[in-house]
């Protein structure tokens, strides 16, 4: 169980939580992204919109992950 999983690059951060079952590799996780590069007013509006409108749900296995955009979650 991952209470918090964070991946980052110079331009974005991906925050997630959920489960990866071992040894089967079954995945059930949800992720939200955020930008690490900000433009004052535009970033605030875009981040609110992105965080409110969708997240990414990852299921399947580590060998064959399935991603789905989940609206209004």
């Amino acid at each position: 169980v991952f209470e918090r999983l964070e991946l980052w690059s110079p331009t974005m951060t991906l925050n997630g939580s959920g489960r990866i079952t071992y040894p089967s590799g079954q995945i059930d996780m949800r992720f939200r992204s955020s930008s690490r590069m900000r433009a004052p007013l535009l970033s605030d509006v875009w981040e609110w919109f992105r965080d409110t409108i969708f997240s990414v749900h990852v299921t399947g296995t580590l060998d064959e992950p399935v991603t789905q955009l989940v609206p209004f979650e």
Side-chain angles (χ1 to χ4, degrees):
V1 174
F2 292 92
E3 288 183 25
R4 180 176 174 189
L5 177 65
E6 185 174 280
L7 305 170
W8 55 271
S9 74
T11 57
M12 72 173 281
T13 301
L14 194 60
N15 296 298
S17 63
R19 296 177 185 259
I20 299 177
T21 306
Y22 183 80
S24 67
Q26 283 296 122
I27 304 169
D28 184 10
M29 298 192 73
R30 297 194 184 272
F31 292 93
R32 292 188 185 274
S33 64
S34 60
S35 175
R36 295 181 57 136
M37 301 177 74
R38 298 188 49 87
L41 180 59
L42 184 58
S43 289
D44 292 338
V45 172
W46 168 246
E47 288 175 11
W48 175 86
F49 180 76
R50 180 195 57 227
D51 292 346
T52 303
I53 298 302
F54 67 87
S55 65
V56 178
H57 188 200
V58 182
T59 57
T61 64
L62 291 172
D63 291 331
E64 296 184 28
V66 177
T67 59
Q68 177 183 8
L69 285 178
V70 180
F72 302 106
E73 188 168 272

